[in-house]
Amino acid sequence: MPLPKINSSEEAIKLEDQHGAHNYHPLPAVLSRGEGVHVWDVEGNKYYDFLSAYSAVNQGHCHPKIVGAMHEQASKLALTSRAFHNDVLGAYEKYATEYFGFDKLLPMNTGAEAVETAIKIARKWAYERKGVKETEAEIIVCENNFHGRTTTVISFSNDEDARRNFGPYTPGFTKIPYDDPEALEAALKANPNVAGFLVEPIQGEAGVYTPADDFMQKAKDICSKYNVLFMADEIQTGIGRTGGLLAVCGHCTCEAHCERQETYTKPDILILGKALSGGNYPVSAVLADNEVMDVIQPGQHGSTFGGNPVAAAVAVAALDVIRDEQLTQNARKMGKLFRRLMDDYIRESNIVNLVRGRGLLNAIVINDSPESTTAWDICMALKENGLLAKPTHGNIIRFAPPLVMSEEQLRDCVNIITSTLKQFEK
Ligand SMILES: *Cc1c(COP(=O)(O)O)cnc(C)c1O
């Protein structure tokens, strides 16, 4: 059956409403095309994309190199399952492990699956290497975390919408406050059965909460002291987004592609997704060194699509683009400029309290209650003015454009944002 042609946004929204589950509340923009930092709706209106599919599209929409790699591989061999080998997976694993500095990679598809994988590895490591008694392993997580939507992952969320009526919940998780090394140390001291500390280097969904500069290193040191795995969920923050190859790279100042500089805090388990494919295909991965990864043996974990040749080819191309186009460096530069220009505005503003973030992962906090519709209304007005962004947690608006943004485009975007905000000043 040929797909019926959609003639208006209204028509497309109605179809979704009638035939699709209502598990999202999207802004009413119906997009039909994307290129670089721009997307177009079915009426032909052009927008700057300031969400980048939650930081999956770091390399920009429909990057020709990534799309080319995907086409080429898809027309040659798309899926073998892991019952057999394919001639792309090993090369991808070699490339990606060297790129990020780990011994081994376990390929999955979505972010939540990769988080589940990391949890399984950490638990198994605790039983087989640390000597924790079976079924007693504990994983420490942070309040207001976001790690995905599976049953186990929502078991340790404190977002009521994400959790309510999905129980019984998976046990084995303890929550501590974010950005609180003392709380982490107390939790590890109190419980010898802790397998890992699972943490976002910046809490994206929670509203781009950016911890103290030394939080990652302190957390890692505490984990090392108590023989606990430091597990970094860099699904949103990783791959150039925050101005380092990873957010655990901290405030790197290297001008070349992210080398292992002094400020780098190496996780024991690194979780990647989203921009690992530039948003072209679901590709996620867990990386670790041998002493951790080797606890997983045949039959103990897997996925039919994980490590498929298309995913492998797409991921290599996506990582190439980050390096070749120096997108990490651009994110750092453009991010600094963005926060400086926004700060200039905010100083005189009643409607915005602050801008925070790192690289091109930023958010503004609106001066109104989280229950108000002000942030939503601002996003609707931004849409009218040609820029797409989405509120998170009521009164926070996240700004995360593709990293291919030029300075001229960024200044244009700041003008759109500030002139829109002016309409809302009290
Ligand atoms: C998006 C995200 C996930 C979940 O990824 P999915 O691909 O949506 O399953 C997990 N952790 C973080 C930090 C994320 O931003």
Side-chain angles (χ1 to χ4, degrees), residues 54 110-113 115 146-148 200 205 233 235-236 274:
Y54 300 101
T110 66
E113 275 179 328
V115 172
F146 182 84
H147 296 287
E200 301 157 84
E205 292 311 298
D233 179 346
I235 292 169
Q236 187 161 157
K274 296 198 167 117

Side-chain angles (χ1 to χ4, degrees), residues 133-172:
K133 202 161 125 247
E134 218 203 313
T135 76
E136 309 224 322
E138 195 73 17
I139 297 202
I140 309 295
V141 298
C142 292
E143 274 159 23
N144 304 319
N145 68 72
F146 182 84
H147 296 287
R149 299 293 198 168
T150 59
T151 314
T152 287
V153 169
I154 57 109
S155 293
F156 54 85
S157 166
N158 55 312
D159 175 342
E160 266 311 293
D161 285 334
R163 262 175 73 88
R164 198 184 315 115
N165 289 339
F166 294 120
Y169 303 112
T170 308

